[in-house]
Amino acid sequence: TALLPVIGTALFIRYGTRQRITGIYWWAELTPSTRMGDWSYAIYLWHWPLIIAAGYLLDPLTWPYKLGLIALTFALSAASQKLIEDPLRKAKPFKIPKRAFTLMASNIAIIAALTFFIPTLLSPNTNEDVAIDECTGANALLTNCQDQGLEGQPLASPTQVADEKSEDTYPECFIPKGETDFDRSDCSLGADPDTSDYTIAIFGSSHARMWLPMLDKVGRENNWNIQGYTKSACSPVPLPKASPESTGEELETAQGCDDFVFETAEELKNDPEIDVIATASLGGSETHYMEDGDPASTDEKIEAIDTMWQEWHDAGKEVVTIGEVPHFDDIEAPTCVEENNEDVAENCSVPFSEAIDPDGTFQRLTADAGNAEIEFYDPAAGLCNSGTCYSMVGNLITRYDHHHLSADFATSYSDNFSKFMHENVLD
């Protein structure tokens, strides 16, 4: 793309002439052209912030607005060149080399300091610790608190929650998308593995990883060791994701996911140290394939998952599946809460029937239709009530994007999940 103006400039210089009307230099020497040349740097400085501001303030950004922006850019550029650039360029202090150097150095220092400190001073604190009590986060719905914290100011700022999108929790336990060679030997959460009462493995996609803050907490409180086996976009479905038509990077990524799922499923079954295997994944329409290359049907996926679960149980493992959490389509929770502080529940919620699509929730479907001896934990009860799923519950923002639980909100399930484990899994 950059070649177009570069080559155009080279052709302009090499083949331009001053011949009247037909010569490009003749046009370039006219007063409007030279004026625009004088203003060019100011135009460069002004045009972009105007475009950015207009994108937020003018919707839609139609052609009359665009033409107005061009006119405003030229007007501001002419004014700043005449009132700021020229006076400074011709100022006496800049005509004496020593003073000019001193002013240049001091200006650079001031600009550098402002560039560094102003964003730091203006940015909100994104490291607030949240104390989880009986009506904080998911607890507000799970314990039926009178004030369910669906409106108002969240305990952790939207900026803090949104930052989790780019800051993976427990990276030592999470294999990024596309990577296959990964060392998870440092992934040991909760209690010390040498002295713990139980070892629990969590297996699945980023929707398994998002439960690690909660599992780490309940592990320390109950003397359970937690082992994470999680990989981006790799649901714990023991069927190939690589289609017969896949090639190149697509094939490599799909095969990496297949290797992770099949090898982890076998490793967990044969590891004598693992007492409990928990699975979790995103509800969606991922395509998996049978050995003959045909896309797997819903029933075939259910059968494959159910068989894997039963094999784990037959190997002496307790099996827990954590149900898929609601998907809020295009509603980013931090942004929506920030923009609708007084009516979060009305503007940032979705119906349960839309948030949890039964066609793609294979953890839920298999737990309901399969025959394997497993226990099912449903997190929807902490997010949804009376057929509605919320972006803020118990004064905590529930997600850092469309469908991943925020770390604090996941942690707020700790007491409920611990009770579930003691009553249903560990006896």
Side-chain angles (χ1 to χ4, degrees):
T1 303
L3 280 173
L4 184 62
V6 172
I7 293 174
T9 303
L11 293 173
F12 179 97
I13 294 170
R14 174 64 181 82
Y15 295 106
T17 70
R18 287 184 170 81
Q19 188 172 352
R20 186 178 177 81
I21 305 298
T22 59
I24 192 68
Y25 287 178
W26 183 84
W27 288 100
E29 290 171 345
L30 296 178
T31 299
S33 298
T34 58
R35 282 283 186 270
M36 190 163 61
D38 290 341
W39 303 335
S40 62
Y41 189 69
I43 292 171
Y44 161 71
L45 293 176
W46 278 111
H47 85 285
W48 189 246
L50 291 175
I51 290 172
I52 295 298
Y56 279 100
L57 299 174
L58 305 174
D59 186 21
L61 190 58
T62 58
W63 268 108
Y65 287 134
K66 293 177 182 179
L67 294 173
L69 281 177
I70 294 173
L72 182 59
T73 299
F74 274 80
L76 290 171
S77 300
S80 64
Q81 195 259 352
K82 182 177 180 61
L83 300 176
I84 300 174
E85 290 182 41
D86 285 350
L88 283 175
R89 188 162 46 242
K90 298 172 183 177
K92 287 184 178 180
F94 287 102
K95 292 185 177 181
I96 302 172
K98 186 178 292 185
R99 289 183 183 178
F101 178 79
T102 303
L103 285 170
M104 179 190 70
S106 60
N107 285 343
I108 290 174
I110 291 170
I111 292 170
L114 292 176
T115 302
F116 179 79
F117 287 112
I118 286 180
T120 303
L121 292 172
L122 295 180
S123 64
N125 188 344
T126 58
N127 293 297
E128 291 286 341
D129 290 329
V130 175
I132 307 294
D133 61 30
E134 61 184 8
C135 286
T136 301
N139 288 330
L141 294 182
L142 294 171
T143 60
N144 198 28
C145 293
Q146 184 173 358
D147 180 5
Q148 296 181 337
L150 306 178
E151 305 282 3
Q153 193 67 31
L155 295 174
S157 72
T159 302
Q160 176 172 328
V161 176
D163 283 349
E164 294 181 26
K165 193 171 185 176
S166 57
E167 299 173 2
D168 290 339
T169 53
Y170 306 100
E172 69 275 16
C173 299
F174 184 62
I175 307 174
K177 188 175 183 178
E179 289 192 23
T180 54
D181 184 14
F182 185 84
D183 179 12
R184 57 162 301 281
S185 59
D186 291 333
C187 176
S188 180
L189 310 178
D192 188 320
D194 296 328
T195 58
S196 62
D197 294 332
Y198 297 99
T199 297
I200 300 173
I202 177 72
F203 171 36
S205 63
S206 58
H207 276 246
R209 181 214 58 199
M210 74 185 183
W211 290 108
L212 291 176
M214 182 269 287
L215 292 169
D216 190 16
K217 184 174 186 291
V218 298
R220 286 183 274 107
E221 292 174 347
N222 293 276
N223 199 36
W224 303 336
N225 177 245
I226 309 298
Q227 296 289 321
Y229 295 81
T230 64
K231 179 171 172 58
S232 178
C234 287
S235 297
V237 179
L239 289 172
K241 287 189 72 175
S243 74
E245 293 80 22
S246 297
T247 58
E249 184 178 349
E250 180 185 358
L251 177 61
E252 185 178 345
T253 299
Q255 288 180 335
C257 194
D258 294 344
D259 292 343
F260 166 76
V261 171
F262 288 108
E263 291 173 9
T264 301
E266 195 68 17
E267 179 180 344
L268 295 177
K269 181 176 72 172
N270 296 322
D271 188 342
E273 301 297 322
I274 301 294
D275 302 299
V276 179
I277 304 172
T279 65
S281 70
L282 168 69
S285 55
E286 286 183 321
T287 302
H288 292 80
Y289 296 88
M290 304 301 291
E291 290 185 1
D292 60 7
D294 290 336
S297 66
T298 295
D299 289 341
E300 287 170 331
K301 288 185 184 180
I302 290 174
E303 182 180 358
I305 297 169
D306 193 57
T307 299
M308 177 179 68
W309 288 353
Q310 188 60 45
E311 288 179 356
W312 289 342
H313 185 273
D314 292 343
K317 318 296 182 184
E318 297 294 336
V319 182
V320 175
T321 185
I322 302 175
E324 292 86 350
V325 300
H327 194 298
F328 283 67
D329 197 20
D330 61 347
I331 299 177
E332 292 262 3
T335 304
C336 194
V337 171
E338 178 77 23
E339 295 176 349
N340 299 276
N341 201 241
E342 298 303 322
D343 48 10
V344 176
E346 179 179 352
N347 294 329
C348 305
S349 303
V350 295
F352 181 91
S353 58
E354 296 178 11
I356 299 183
D357 180 2
D359 292 336
T361 53
F362 289 102
Q363 306 296 305
R364 293 174 177 274
L365 286 172
T366 309
D368 181 58
N371 298 311
E373 298 176 67
I374 61 104
E375 296 294 339
F376 177 70
Y377 180 75
D378 191 358
L383 280 157
C384 311
N385 189 22
S386 301
T388 301
C389 300
Y390 301 99
S391 287
M392 187 165 77
V393 175
N395 300 111
L396 287 181
I397 298 174
T398 59
R399 310 172 318 282
Y400 63 75
D401 59 6
H402 309 289
H403 51 82
H404 290 94
L405 299 185
S406 65
D408 285 326
F409 194 80
T411 303
S412 70
Y413 282 89
S414 298
D415 291 343
N416 185 263
F417 185 79
S418 180
K419 180 181 178 182
F420 164 83
M421 290 293 290
H422 281 295
E423 292 180 354
N424 299 283
V425 182
L426 304 176
D427 296 323

